[in-house]
Amino acid sequence: MSRIEIRDTKPTDFSEIKRLNDEFVHFTSPMDMARIAQLDELGFYHKVICEDGIVLGFLLAMTDDCDYDSDNYRWFNQRFNQFAYIDRVVIDTLHHGRRLGQQLYKNLFEFARQKDISTVCCEYNLVPANPNSAIFHMQLGFKEVHRLPSNDGNKLVSMQAKELTINT
């Protein structure tokens, strides 16, 4: 029987993260190995989901207190006091439909709650359209808080936020 595990990302995972990101670069943004290492350092949460030790996907998130050079991150940082920002989540195409992304998100939600972070933010593309991501985020309880065009006008994103219940 196979075993699914969510664990912290290691530098030895970076080449697989690059491969996965490259597969979906039309929805994310390009990353070389140096950029992956830089984002890993900035990350509040950077985990991979594996099956029998093989990386099937990853999720990278930052908090409101890092110096991240993303326009979308800055938009949230100017409007929310304390949050976790999902920079990117990618699941290998061969493993779509197995709820691996949902497992990563739920793991992130629990991690954020433990750190008393009650808002999780992200965005997904409206142009080019990413309807699977729209459905995924709606099912997890995210709500649109704004629409933001990219500086070059080639993308339009739906800015999303989800409030978590913090047990105090």
Side-chain angles (χ1 to χ4, degrees):
M1 180 172 219
S2 65
R3 189 173 79 105
I4 300 292
E5 169 191 30
I6 296 174
R7 64 165 172 78
D8 289 335
T9 298
K10 301 182 278 194
T12 54
D13 298 321
F14 290 178
S15 61
E16 190 60 14
I17 287 169
K18 180 178 180 345
R19 183 193 71 76
L20 290 167
N21 191 77
D22 288 350
E23 184 178 352
F24 289 93
V25 75
H26 56 289
F27 292 130
T28 62
S29 59
M31 290 194 305
D32 60 17
M33 297 296 276
R35 181 67 169 167
I36 294 169
Q38 177 190 33
L39 295 179
D40 181 69
E41 286 293 316
L42 289 175
F44 153 79
Y45 177 102
H46 192 196
K47 299 206 182 224
V48 292
I49 189 163
C50 304
E51 183 173 36
D52 298 329
I54 298 170
V55 174
L56 306 179
F58 71 94
L59 191 152
L60 172 64
M62 281 68 163
T63 57
D64 57 284
D65 62 353
C66 76
D67 186 26
Y68 185 33
D69 61 349
S70 157
D71 291 337
N72 296 336
Y73 170 83
R74 280 193 294 271
W75 186 92
F76 285 114
N77 206 10
Q78 292 166 358
R79 289 157 181 85
F80 291 84
N81 288 327
Q82 188 180 30
F83 62 91
Y85 168 75
I86 299 169
D87 181 63
R88 63 191 77 214
V89 58
V90 177
I91 303 297
D92 190 308
T93 302
L94 297 174
H95 298 280
H96 283 189
R98 295 182 60 196
R99 300 184 185 262
L100 301 174
Q102 186 178 69
Q103 288 179 54
L104 279 169
Y105 269 63
K106 288 183 176 183
N107 187 267
L108 169 64
F109 297 161
E110 185 55 37
F111 189 79
R113 283 185 188 99
Q114 290 171 7
K115 306 290 184 187
D116 292 326
I117 295 172
S118 62
T119 304
V120 177
C121 302
C122 66
E123 78 277 339
Y124 60 79
N125 287 4
L126 296 169
V127 176
N130 189 346
N132 291 337
S133 188
I135 293 166
F136 175 81
H137 287 93
M138 182 188 68
Q139 289 174 339
L140 288 174
F142 281 85
K143 304 286 185 216
E144 184 173 85
V145 294
H146 189 68
R147 290 184 176 196
L148 187 67
S150 61
N151 289 334
D152 62 11
N154 290 331
K155 284 187 178 183
L156 176 66
V157 296
S158 174
M159 308 299 273
Q160 298 277 311
K162 175 182 174 68
E163 294 300 322
L164 304 175
T165 303
I166 304 293
N167 300 326
T168 55

